[in-house]
Amino acid sequence: MGFVDVIRRATEALEKDISGSSGNAVAEVAEAAEAASGSGSEGYFSKIDQFYIPEWLTMQFIANNMISFTPLFSYGTTVLAIQKSQTALGFSLDICATMLIASILRVSYYLITPYELALLRQSIVMILIQLLLLKTALRYRPDDYKYDNLEPVETLYELIQDVWVQYFPSNPFDDVYNEDWRPLLRSLSWKNLLGFTYKIFLVFLYKFLKFFDPSFKRFKGFWQWNDDKQYWKFLAVFGCCQFFITLLISKVFNWEAFSQWVGSLIGSLGLFIESLLPLPQISIFYKLKSVQGFKLIILVSWLCGDILKISYLVFGANNISIIFLCFGLFQMSLDIYIACQYIYYKYYYPYLRHSDEDVEALRLREEVELRDLSSLQKEMVV
């Protein structure tokens, strides 16, 4: 009912009131105005909702697209920063290896056990942006990152041998033909066995962490090759083999039970590899005691990506295993540790280092003054 209808009804009510045919013209006018305002407001607000808030624009839609295209912002800015500075110093190539391998595994996992489509799109977008980032980083890679210029790491044999001689007197690594095993048998106590087991565990943990340290040589120079073609060859072989095996098991032979087991293994392995993404950067910070060359935007994007991913897994996803959330929380804890490292080496460590240098300089100056005073005293005695 429009404004004209309201005027018309009010006029009729007044005419009836004047002629005496109606006893309450005011009530009819109020009723007409209320009906007009009610119908008009409903039509108005329905048009607003239809025009400004489409039905497809929901929070689920926004969350899905944010989680899918976040890698374009986080790693795209890194590509631009490397191109602008003309050097990849401070950026670890292991980031590309970690994200590419993890994303390929997640895509193949989808072929066996379909999960949220938004996470599949994120994996595909991640592969594309990481290929561009790898190409850019290899183009501006410093010579210090090449295999021939890296430091060797202790072999597993040497580390186990060092641990053995700490707890047992007879060393089978050097004295193989020794027939007197009585000292070794006497040293087999629970204390020595537990200590030896604990140290061996630390040895394997040390070797595992050293593999993620980009400043040391790896087995067969993995992801430290001098030739750039080796990177693309590895990715092509790994991707083709992974998809071929996955399709063969799940689609061709249709082994239901075995394919589910393989899918769980692939998915868990992909999430585990992705959760180890911050380890190379942690090693670099610890060795250099500096954040020079590290782009802060990478750390910010990691933390924002972790928050967005965990929020999506908790509130937005429907068909997600709990293992996704566990590995996401583990990766977030490593990123928080990197943030603490960044703050410490950026703001506190330089101050502490300068303080130590000042104390050392003061000590050296006092020694020089004492030496000069001693020489002066000797000259006065003479």
Side-chain angles (χ1 to χ4, degrees), residues 62-78 99 106 118-119 121-127 129-130 274 297-310 312:
I62 296 174
N64 289 343
N65 284 274
M66 287 183 65
I67 196 70
S68 299
F69 297 102
T70 298
L72 290 179
F73 170 76
S74 58
Y75 293 101
T77 53
T78 306
M99 298 310 302
R106 284 197 298 180
L119 295 179
R121 287 199 303 265
Q122 185 199 45
S123 300
I124 297 175
V125 172
M126 181 67 75
I127 291 175
I129 191 62
Q130 288 296 331
E274 184 179 359
I297 187 62
I298 298 179
L299 178 58
V300 174
S301 63
W302 284 354
L303 293 173
C304 294
D306 291 335
I307 296 173
L308 184 61
K309 181 194 301 182
I310 293 175
Y312 176 76

Side-chain angles (χ1 to χ4, degrees), residues 23-66:
N24 194 0
V26 178
E28 292 184 7
V29 173
E31 181 181 355
E34 183 179 357
S37 104
S39 61
S41 63
E42 289 179 1
Y44 179 72
F45 284 114
S46 64
K47 290 180 181 179
I48 289 179
D49 293 340
Q50 183 179 2
F51 182 76
Y52 289 101
I53 308 176
E55 295 181 357
W56 53 267
L57 188 60
T58 60
M59 292 301 297
Q60 183 81 13
F61 177 82
I62 296 174
N64 289 343
N65 284 274
M66 287 183 65

Side-chain angles (χ1 to χ4, degrees), residues 310-360:
I310 293 175
S311 301
Y312 176 76
L313 293 176
V314 173
F315 301 106
N318 297 322
N319 186 24
I320 290 296
S321 174
I322 189 65
I323 195 171
F324 278 76
L325 183 60
C326 293
F327 283 117
L329 291 173
F330 175 71
Q331 182 178 356
M332 186 175 184
S333 65
L334 293 180
D335 290 337
I336 293 175
Y337 183 80
I338 287 183
C340 295
Q341 275 189 310
Y342 185 89
I343 294 174
Y344 177 75
Y345 291 123
K346 177 73 173 180
Y347 300 104
Y348 292 97
Y349 184 77
Y351 173 76
L352 296 176
R353 184 180 61 185
H354 291 320
S355 298
D356 294 339
E357 291 177 353
D358 293 341
V359 171
E360 183 67 19

Side-chain angles (χ1 to χ4, degrees), residues 100-368:
L100 283 170
I101 294 175
S103 299
I104 292 174
L105 290 174
R106 284 197 298 180
V107 173
S108 61
Y109 174 65
Y110 182 85
L111 299 176
I112 298 178
T113 306
Y115 48 86
E116 285 287 333
L117 190 61
L119 295 179
L120 176 63
R121 287 199 303 265
Q122 185 199 45
S123 300
I124 297 175
V125 172
M126 181 67 75
I127 291 175
L128 297 177
I129 191 62
Q130 288 296 331
L131 290 175
L132 178 60
L133 179 58
L134 177 62
K135 181 180 179 181
T136 306
L138 289 176
R139 180 181 179 184
Y140 299 106
R141 176 174 53 158
D143 293 335
D144 296 340
Y145 285 9
K146 295 185 178 181
Y147 181 79
D148 296 336
N149 299 323
L150 301 177
E151 301 178 10
V153 66
E154 303 92 331
T155 63
L156 184 62
Y157 174 83
E158 295 173 346
L159 294 173
I160 294 178
Q161 183 179 6
D162 293 338
V163 174
W164 178 275
V165 298
Q166 293 180 10
Y167 292 93
F168 306 108
S170 179
N171 188 3
F173 298 96
D174 295 331
D175 198 6
V176 180
Y177 300 101
N178 186 12
E179 298 180 358
D180 188 8
W181 294 91
R182 287 175 296 181
L184 176 61
L185 295 176
R186 285 194 297 266
S187 63
L188 294 178
S189 62
W190 285 108
K191 182 179 180 181
N192 287 346
L193 289 176
L194 291 176
F196 177 76
T197 305
Y198 175 70
K199 287 294 184 64
I200 291 297
F201 170 76
L202 294 181
V203 165
F204 281 97
L205 180 62
Y206 171 79
K207 289 291 293 184
F208 174 77
L209 295 177
K210 279 298 179 182
F211 184 81
F212 292 91
D213 193 336
S215 58
F216 290 91
K217 293 182 177 180
R218 296 175 183 149
F219 180 73
K220 299 296 183 180
F222 178 75
W223 212 258
Q224 296 172 335
W225 303 298
N226 296 328
D227 188 7
D228 295 350
K229 296 180 180 179
Q230 290 291 108
Y231 295 88
W232 308 113
K233 181 179 179 181
F234 168 80
L235 292 174
V237 172
F238 176 77
C240 292
C241 292
Q242 181 64 38
F243 290 125
F244 175 77
I245 294 174
T246 303
L247 292 174
L248 188 66
I249 294 175
S250 61
K251 305 301 180 182
V252 178
F253 293 107
N254 197 18
W255 294 338
E256 184 66 25
F258 184 66
S259 64
Q260 291 298 324
W261 181 83
V262 172
S264 300
L265 179 62
I266 292 174
S268 302
L269 183 61
L271 291 173
F272 176 70
I273 292 175
E274 184 179 359
S275 65
L276 299 177
L277 172 67
L279 285 180
Q281 199 63 54
I282 292 175
S283 300
I284 291 176
F285 280 166
Y286 182 77
K287 181 178 180 180
L288 298 179
K289 301 293 190 297
S290 174
V291 297
Q292 184 178 3
F294 178 75
K295 278 70 177 179
L296 181 59
I297 187 62
I298 298 179
L299 178 58
V300 174
S301 63
W302 284 354
L303 293 173
C304 294
D306 291 335
I307 296 173
L308 184 61
K309 181 194 301 182
I310 293 175
S311 301
Y312 176 76
L313 293 176
V314 173
F315 301 106
N318 297 322
N319 186 24
I320 290 296
S321 174
I322 189 65
I323 195 171
F324 278 76
L325 183 60
C326 293
F327 283 117
L329 291 173
F330 175 71
Q331 182 178 356
M332 186 175 184
S333 65
L334 293 180
D335 290 337
I336 293 175
Y337 183 80
I338 287 183
C340 295
Q341 275 189 310
Y342 185 89
I343 294 174
Y344 177 75
Y345 291 123
K346 177 73 173 180
Y347 300 104
Y348 292 97
Y349 184 77
Y351 173 76
L352 296 176
R353 184 180 61 185
H354 291 320
S355 298
D356 294 339
E357 291 177 353
D358 293 341
V359 171
E360 183 67 19
L362 180 61
R363 186 182 62 83
L364 293 176
R365 187 174 62 183
E366 290 179 351
E367 291 181 356
V368 171

